[in-house]
Amino acid sequence: MAAASSSISQSQFTMHLPESSPIFPLPTAMRRSHTMSKFNPYEHLSVSLNPDGSLSRLLHLPAVSSSAPGDPVAFKDITLNASAATWLRLFRPTNIPANDGVAARLPIVIYFHHGGWILHTASDAITHRNCADLAAQIPAIAISVNYRLAPESRLPAQYDDAADALRWVKTQMTDPDGEKWLKDFGDFSRCYLYGVGCGGNIAFFAGLKAAGLKLEPMKVAGIVMNQPMFGGVQRTESELRFAADQLLPLPVLDLMWELALPKGMDQDHRYCNPMVGGPHKELIGRLGRCLVIGFGGDPMVDRQQEFVKMLTGCGAQVLAWFDDMGFHNVDLVDHRRAAAVMSLVKEFII
């Protein structure tokens, strides 16, 4: 594994998932080979579409609602926007580092979870663990955003929720009665956006929005996009090579975008394919530092590498790290790769 530029070689890779995993339980449909002509992406995702356009989500992952004795982090939930039913989960180390007896100011990491726009919450065990690890190992104040899901709320609702989270953080800095964890321990000049999968997409567009939100003196110092989710009408080589991927086959990716994009829009809409032309490109040079992480067995890896080239060409400062091996979300089940990603993120933020 090594840091790489936007031109990265890839090896042929066939993914094999274990039949079960205590870290990332998968529905049965995800664990068997597919006959693509008979493949049902709704069954694969354990969801069903209701007549009113909403989804019934049939897979319920373990959730975390309270701390266990000896946990290295504390957490609490805070309402973000009651009308949108969005909320935040805040994490802080139980032992705040100190310099000469004075509590250190910690970077603030605003986190957007994975789930292909339609699944998961900030309380799911795997999302909770990721944020707890960030808070403990960087160390940092981590803020996990429980944004609205599609198709009940289509894009750009998730970007609006991200903007709400940024404004909320700024308010805590300026409000005398603001959230004490942030006021006492947070460094508002070192705020980072971190997203995984579709959350990486949200982090990118939230970074573009940040310039127009008048957040000063709060500063977004960088953006981490871990296996960000992008698409497009024209298939890439990696999408075709991994069309029958056991986790994210093409029909599943297509369904996720169909449910998330504004109605009537195709996958060359800028929300899905930011490499297309548009006014958003004029804002990319303002993003500052970006870290993009990817794995060679991800169907979206070609998109991610094209994204890196676009960022660089538009003036962003980019560190790109791609592992030739590994599938989408491999760092959720492979402790070695999880440690490598954490090391990268820690070095980028510190």
Side-chain angles (χ1 to χ4, degrees):
M1 299 182 190
S5 68
S6 59
S7 178
I8 299 120
S9 63
Q10 298 175 32
S11 56
Q12 295 288 338
F13 180 57
T14 302
M15 187 186 78
H16 298 282
L17 287 176
E19 279 298 306
S20 63
S21 166
I23 301 174
F24 187 36
L26 300 173
T28 301
M30 289 187 183
R31 297 197 297 264
R32 59 174 179 252
S33 61
H34 306 304
T35 302
M36 297 304 288
S37 62
K38 299 180 181 179
F39 180 73
N40 184 334
Y42 288 94
E43 178 187 354
H44 179 93
L45 293 166
S46 294
V47 299
S48 61
L49 188 63
N50 300 317
D52 64 358
S54 65
L55 278 187
S56 292
R57 297 166 176 86
L58 308 177
L59 176 66
H60 300 287
L61 297 179
V64 177
S65 59
S66 60
S67 299
D71 279 354
V73 298
F75 74 91
K76 58 184 171 182
D77 295 340
I78 293 176
T79 297
L80 176 59
N81 184 330
S83 63
T86 55
W87 50 275
L88 308 171
R89 177 160 286 188
L90 275 62
F91 298 79
R92 51 151 286 194
T94 51
N95 296 314
I96 302 292
N99 296 318
D100 297 327
V102 178
R105 288 284 176 175
L106 304 179
I108 299 168
V109 179
I110 303 170
Y111 184 93
F112 306 98
H113 64 76
H114 69 293
W117 307 108
I118 65 174
L119 297 171
H120 305 323
T121 72
S123 62
D124 288 345
I126 198 160
T127 300
H128 180 96
R129 184 200 66 196
N130 285 351
C131 289
D133 287 347
L134 287 169
Q137 295 184 39
I138 288 177
I141 305 296
I143 303 172
S144 184
V145 182
N146 197 72
Y147 55 82
R148 288 171 286 179
L149 298 180
E152 294 84 354
S153 298
R154 291 175 176 266
L155 289 165
Q158 293 74 17
Y159 305 151
D160 294 338
D161 296 342
D164 282 348
L166 286 167
R167 283 189 286 258
W168 181 87
V169 172
K170 180 193 174 181
T171 298
Q172 309 319 302
M173 176 180 61
T174 56
D175 184 350
D177 299 319
E179 168 54 48
K180 284 186 64 63
W181 285 7
L182 288 173
K183 291 185 74 70
D184 292 349
F185 308 121
D187 183 347
F188 291 93
S189 69
R190 290 193 296 154
C191 292
Y192 291 83
L193 307 179
Y194 186 147
V196 180
C198 67
N201 178 302
I202 295 172
F204 169 65
F205 281 99
L208 296 182
K209 274 181 168 285
L213 296 179
K214 299 180 180 179
L215 299 173
E216 296 79 6
M218 170 187 161
K219 179 181 179 182
V220 177
I223 305 176
V224 178
M225 292 161 279
N226 183 355
Q227 306 159 75
M229 183 175 180
F230 299 116
V233 171
Q234 185 68 38
R235 300 299 193 192
T236 65
E237 289 185 11
S238 64
E239 287 169 344
L240 295 174
R241 186 164 62 252
F242 301 113
D245 182 77
Q246 291 188 25
L247 183 62
L248 284 178
L250 276 181
V252 167
L253 287 170
D254 287 345
L255 176 62
M256 288 173 167
W257 284 117
E258 179 184 338
L259 295 174
L261 285 168
K263 288 186 176 180
M265 296 295 103
D266 66 22
Q267 289 189 37
D268 276 342
H269 190 284
R270 66 184 182 279
Y271 297 161
C272 178
N273 186 3
M275 283 66 78
V276 299
H280 64 285
K281 286 193 170 182
E282 299 174 5
L283 302 174
I284 290 175
R286 305 179 189 178
L287 289 178
R289 299 170 62 239
C290 298
L291 171 62
V292 181
I293 299 169
F295 294 91
D298 186 338
M300 295 179 287
V301 69
D302 285 353
R303 303 271 182 204
Q304 294 156 3
Q305 294 180 1
E306 185 182 356
F307 176 68
V308 168
K309 293 177 182 178
M310 180 198 69
L311 292 178
T312 303
C314 290
Q317 182 183 345
V318 185
L319 171 64
W321 185 91
F322 287 83
D323 186 341
D324 283 351
M325 304 294 285
F327 48 88
H328 188 77
N329 282 342
V330 64
D331 52 323
L332 300 183
V333 297
D334 183 327
H335 292 291
R336 182 172 63 90
R337 286 188 170 89
V341 169
M342 180 62 73
S343 178
L344 282 167
V345 173
K346 183 174 182 177
E347 182 179 351
F348 180 77
I349 290 177
I350 297 298

